Each structure stands twice: as structure tokens, then as C-alpha cells.
Amino acid sequence: MGDDFPIKIIKENKTNKEVIHPKNSIVEQMSCPFCKKIFKSSATIKEFNIHIKRCGVLFIQINKECELFPPSQDYELNNFIYIYSEQYKVNYYNKTQDTFDQKIEKLKNYIKSVKIPWENGSCKLDLNRNDLLKESMKQIKKVDLYKELKINFIGEVSYDAGGIFREWFTTIFQTLESEKLKLFLVSDTNEFSYIINPFLSHKNDNFEYFTFIGQLIVKALFENITVNICFNKLIYKMILQEEINFKDLVFIDNPLYTSLNNLKQNELLGDPNFIKDLAMYYSVEIKDVYNHIHSLELQKKGRETQVLDIDDFIQKRIKFMIGIYEPFIKIIRETIYSYIPQNIISNFTSDEFELILNGRPFIDVEEWKIFTDYKAPYNANHYLIIWFWEILSELSQKELSNLLLFTTGSGRVPLGGFSVLESNRGNIARFTIESIPYIKGKKNFIKAHTCFNRLDIPLFLLKNDLIEAIKFVTNNEILGFGID
């Protein structure tokens, strides 16, 4: 720990000691761990780091595209939709009258009772960055999720004190949501969210992704860390088996919801022929990501059956929506409940469960400032600290999220806010700013220690230098190189 950002380079020698490169150039000769491009000593840190980031992103996205149902198999898909829509049962579990805090306490107490303390051993994933997702899915089947999980990237000399695990966790979700994989799509709504691709084929290879997602959610709950993917609200409702109603269509397809709502309003005006004149049928046509049109029916012989009752059409459209997503969400649900009893999870509402997993969506700089500690010579009145908060107050939410991600391993504020930031082992570890020497005539970078939420800032003499250092992190979404 305590290595200079942006990257620690390990050079083997007879004494097997770590050799840290100067801040403005590469030591001797280094190669990219992804594409093996050679960087000579004349290369700068910035060149090397930007290449690593871009190359890493490419390797994140090399995973094979998920197999989809082609339009020629719409009949088969339709049959699955009918079956799974009937299988979805609303969970009328009698929720307790506990407050949200009481529900959280029960969940924490259960997790504490089943988790194996880190002193009793841990599990490890040995991973190649260029095949991160598939290798993670393969190896996680063999680990005990009740134990602490450590990540080792093959070819890199590092010790996972929690920061590398958080980096892996974030990177995995970035991979799962990647456009190339086609596992998720951005929903057609006013609020940004990811919904499951409705045309995923029902193959084991596809189903395994959702077992893995369930395992990741379990691990997030066990380790009290946020999930860095914005799942659609319908996913949370269906995980908890809440009743799905007409208003839930807005989470999937806002234009469709608006059109159907307008039809309902017009029907209320009393024109008995209004719906009949529209010549609607119990069928839908939907484009997939390849612009192929899928023609599906909401009921048997739906293409031949005219809609005369808009409420009946809406109910069948809701069942259709449930049937498309249920085969995949069912796997997530069953995986979660294999580790945490259903009655504990089901006691939460979908909104509460979303908040637990995703954390707060908004970063409040003033709150961040209040719950920050400093190490000498820094203090709340130090000129550089004053600059720091002035700079953060002008950043966008995306930039703030990138800085938080760089420092803590998560781009979202935990449920309890900045006051309850934790280390990887569950101890309170407030955001802390510490000073490191400023080397005149060299390129100086800020440095992160994600295992205990610390940011090291050189004693910059000019505000613009601090701005440049912060912007380098926030604009490049730096993650995983030179952090603990």
C-alpha cells in the first residue's frame, strides 16, 4: 500500500524488491499487460496510463455476444412467455411493520451470523484481465461466498487489501452492461436504467450470467458495497415478486405507457366504438438490437383477435412483459435466496432493496466535506483543502462519481451516507485526505488507497495544478492502477 498513482511497476531483481518508477517517465522498458505494446523509458506516465485505460476497456468488451432468439423462433419464444407469465407468483408474504432501519438491522444480524470471519481464511480468484468475465464466472463457482474474497490479477504483483476486490466488482458490472455483450439494454424511459434484453435465448450460457449476477448481489450484501449498475425498477420488483401493474409499464416503455393511458382516458369518454375503430389486435411487433422485427402474440391466435376491451389488452400486455423477463430474474431471485432467507429479503420493498444495493444516487459535496478527516499538515482551513472543495463544488455528478470511484472503489454513496463509509472488512473508514511531497519539475498525481478510502494529494503550490490532477482522474475514469 502507499504506492504512487497512477501505476506501480514491479521489476524483478535479485532481492525481489519493488522498484517504483519516477513520476515523469517509465523505468527502462515496460509492456502493456493487455496488448503487449512496448513502452521505452522516454514514454511519460500519462501516455502509459491513458493507453492502459483504453486498452483495458477494449479487453473488457471482448466477451462474445449473447445468443438471441431470431425472428424465425418467435413461436418458440411466445410459448416461453406464456409459461413464465403463469409461473410468476406475487409474493403476498405478510411484511412486518418494522421500520427500514429495523429491517436493515435484521439483515445485518443474519449476515453476521453466517459470514466466516476473515481470520478463518479467505478465497481467491486468479484472473486474467483479458478474459475477466468468463474466468470470474468459472472460478466463482468453486469459492465459498461466505468467506472473504480476494482478487489476484495474473502477471501483476499486488496484494488485495480490499481495493482490488472493489475494482474487480466495479469492472465486472461495467462488462455485464457493455453494449457488445447485449445482456442488457437501456430502457425507453425518462430515467436512465438497464433492463434485460427481452430476446435473450433460453440457453445455459445465457442463464449462467444471471446466476453470476445473483452471486454478485449476494456478495454486495455480505460486504456492504454498492452495485455499480443502474438496474431498471421492474427488475427489483420482480426479484421481490411484487405485484406488477399498469404503471410499471412506464419503467420499460414510456411511449407505450403514454399511448395506452391515452386510450384508457378516451374510452372513459363513453364512445363505445372507439376501441373497435382502432382495429387493434392481441399482438405486438418489437425490434431487437439488430433491427429485426419480432411478431409476438399476447394470447393464442392474438393476430386474429381484435381488441374490444382496452383493460383486457393492458392486462395481457403486463403478463407478456412478466413472461419475457421472468426466466432470467427467477435465476437471480433463487440464487439470492440460496444464501439469504426469503423472508428477510422479502420484508423490504423494491424501492428499499434498490437503495440498499445501489446506494444514494446523488453525491452531496457539502455532506462529503463534513464527514472528511485530514492528516497534518492538511486541515479544514489549509489553502489546498479550500481549493479542493471549491473544485469539487463545480464538478458534475458524473465527475464526482468518478472521483469517489477512484478513492473508494465505488461510484455511489452508501445507504448511510459518507458518515458510514467502510473498509473492506466492515470497519468505519471515513474519507481521509493526506499530504504527499510535491516534487518540483515533475508531473505530480493524486493517489488513492481504496482499502481505507484515503486520497493522497501532493502539496501543490498552484490551484491549476490541483485542478489538472483531479480532472485527470474524473475525465479519464481512472480505476484499478496503482490503488490499494
Side-chain angles (χ1 to χ4, degrees):
M1 294 185 289
D3 307 310
D4 288 339
F5 173 80
I7 188 165
K8 177 171 69 177
I9 295 175
I10 307 301
K11 185 176 74 172
E12 293 184 4
N13 55 38
K14 293 181 181 179
T15 59
N16 199 30
K17 291 182 179 179
E18 297 181 2
V19 178
I20 311 299
H21 64 69
K23 293 182 175 63
N24 67 332
S25 64
I26 305 297
V27 168
E28 296 183 357
Q29 180 174 292
M30 289 299 299
S31 63
C32 171
F34 302 111
C35 70
K36 308 307 178 185
K37 177 181 177 180
I38 300 299
F39 286 80
K40 297 183 178 180
S41 58
S42 58
T44 66
I45 288 297
K46 186 172 182 179
E47 290 171 353
F48 186 67
N49 201 61
I50 289 177
H51 173 87
I52 287 286
K53 176 184 179 294
R54 290 174 179 169
C55 203
V57 168
L58 290 176
F59 270 84
I60 285 171
Q61 297 177 346
I62 66 170
N63 295 280
K64 182 181 177 182
E65 295 178 5
C66 294
E67 186 176 346
L68 307 184
F69 276 105
S72 60
Q73 294 180 9
D74 282 349
Y75 179 79
E76 181 182 354
L77 175 58
N78 240 139
N79 287 332
F80 278 125
I81 292 171
Y82 297 146
I83 292 169
Y84 280 100
S85 64
E86 293 300 326
Q87 286 185 357
Y88 182 82
K89 302 298 181 184
V90 176
N91 180 12
Y92 291 109
Y93 170 75
N94 187 22
K95 297 181 186 291
T96 68
Q97 297 302 310
D98 292 341
T99 65
F100 183 48
D101 288 342
Q102 289 171 329
K103 297 175 189 178
I104 290 288
E105 192 63 25
K106 287 182 178 179
L107 175 61
K108 286 183 175 180
N109 287 339
Y110 176 78
I111 290 173
K112 185 177 180 180
S113 72
V114 297
K115 271 189 66 177
I116 298 173
W118 62 270
E119 298 96 329
N120 295 339
S122 60
C123 296
K124 185 174 70 170
L125 303 184
D126 293 308
L127 304 170
N128 284 304
R129 287 189 184 269
N130 61 355
D131 196 14
L132 190 60
L133 180 56
K134 288 293 186 182
E135 276 299 306
S136 296
M137 291 172 62
K138 179 181 177 181
Q139 293 186 36
I140 204 168
K141 296 175 182 178
K142 302 176 183 179
V143 306
D144 185 348
L145 292 186
Y146 294 107
K147 287 186 175 182
E148 183 176 85
L149 183 60
K150 292 184 177 294
I151 306 299
N152 173 53
F153 289 120
I154 296 171
E156 301 177 23
V157 179
S158 59
Y159 172 74
D160 186 5
I164 298 176
F165 167 76
R166 294 184 190 180
E167 173 207 342
W168 167 78
F169 203 85
T170 296
T171 306
I172 281 294
F173 273 109
Q174 289 175 341
T175 310
L176 288 168
E177 72 185 23
S178 69
E179 183 178 344
K180 181 175 178 61
L181 193 60
K182 293 181 173 54
L183 194 65
F184 292 93
L185 305 175
V186 176
S187 58
D188 190 6
T189 59
N190 295 329
E191 294 184 6
F192 179 86
S193 66
Y194 285 103
I195 189 63
I196 298 166
N197 188 334
F199 296 109
L200 287 174
S201 66
H202 293 190
K203 300 287 181 66
N204 285 338
D205 286 350
N206 285 350
F207 285 144
E208 285 182 358
Y209 286 113
F210 294 92
T211 298
F212 184 53
I213 289 170
Q215 292 169 323
L216 292 174
I217 290 175
V218 167
K219 202 59 183 166
L221 293 172
F222 280 179
E223 306 304 331
N224 196 27
I225 58 178
T226 54
V227 173
N228 292 286
I229 186 171
C230 188
F231 284 135
N232 189 281
K233 288 184 180 293
L234 183 70
I235 293 177
Y236 292 109
K237 292 196 71 169
M238 290 186 65
I239 287 175
L240 297 180
Q241 291 176 282
E242 293 183 350
E243 186 173 5
I244 308 300
N245 56 46
F246 174 52
K247 289 186 177 180
D248 292 322
L249 283 173
V250 77
F251 299 140
I252 303 301
D253 190 333
N254 190 46
L256 173 64
Y257 169 78
T258 301
S259 297
L260 292 176
N261 195 43
N262 288 337
L263 289 178
K264 282 175 64 69
Q265 297 303 316
N266 280 300
E267 189 180 39
L268 291 174
L269 295 178
D271 184 351
N273 295 316
F274 175 72
I275 298 298
K276 185 177 181 179
D277 291 343
L278 289 176
M280 289 175 57
Y281 292 84
Y282 285 92
S283 62
V284 292
E285 289 191 346
I286 307 174
K287 284 186 179 180
D288 63 21
V289 292
Y290 301 110
N291 285 323
H292 299 151
I293 295 177
H294 295 257
S295 181
L296 300 163
E297 296 182 314
L298 304 185
Q299 65 177 43
K300 299 296 183 182
K301 298 185 178 181
R303 295 185 190 87
E304 306 166 20
T305 308
Q306 188 172 355
V307 176
L308 301 177
D309 183 343
I310 190 62
D311 288 325
D312 183 59
F313 178 85
I314 287 173
Q315 290 306 310
K316 287 184 168 62
R317 186 63 179 82
I318 292 170
K319 290 190 70 174
F320 174 88
M321 177 174 67
I322 291 171
I324 277 183
Y325 300 119
E326 174 62 6
F328 308 103
I329 295 178
K330 178 183 179 182
I331 293 172
I332 298 175
R333 182 192 309 126
E334 291 177 348
T335 303
I336 294 172
Y337 291 156
S338 68
Y339 289 92
I340 303 174
Q342 181 175 357
N343 65 328
I344 292 178
I345 298 296
S346 295
N347 205 26
F348 292 101
T349 67
S350 55
D351 288 337
E352 291 171 340
F353 194 58
E354 179 184 9
L355 189 58
I356 293 168
L357 285 179
N358 287 139
R360 296 184 183 179
F362 181 79
I363 297 175
D364 186 335
V365 174
E366 285 303 311
E367 183 199 7
W368 193 347
K369 181 178 179 181
I370 290 170
F371 294 106
T372 294
D373 294 333
Y374 308 97
K375 292 193 176 182
Y378 291 150
N379 58 59
N381 297 316
H382 192 281
Y383 74 87
L384 187 138
I385 298 303
I386 293 173
W387 289 347
F388 179 80
W389 295 115
E390 287 176 351
I391 295 167
L392 261 62
S393 68
E394 297 177 356
L395 297 181
S396 67
Q397 283 293 308
K398 175 62 174 174
E399 290 171 322
L400 290 171
S401 178
N402 287 343
L403 182 62
L404 186 64
L405 176 63
F406 172 71
T407 310
T408 69
S410 173
R412 306 268 292 204
V413 183
L415 177 61
F418 283 98
S419 65
V420 296
L421 280 180
E422 295 182 353
S423 68
N424 66 304
R425 287 175 178 160
N427 301 316
I428 296 296
R430 288 181 22 152
F431 179 77
T432 302
I433 300 178
E434 185 170 329
S435 70
I436 52 177
Y438 173 82
I439 303 176
K440 189 175 181 180
K442 305 288 185 180
K443 196 70 174 178
N444 290 262
F445 296 92
I446 59 178
K447 180 175 62 174
H449 304 265
T450 55
C451 60
F452 38 84
N453 305 322
R454 195 181 88 201
L455 190 65
D456 292 348
I457 305 179
L459 278 161
F460 291 109
L461 302 178
L462 299 174
K463 185 176 182 180
N464 281 342
D465 289 340
L466 178 59
I467 292 174
E468 183 180 354
I470 292 174
K471 287 286 188 178
F472 181 73
V473 171
T474 60
N475 291 347
N476 289 297
E477 301 181 44
I478 303 298
L479 174 66
F481 300 103
I483 60 176
D484 301 316

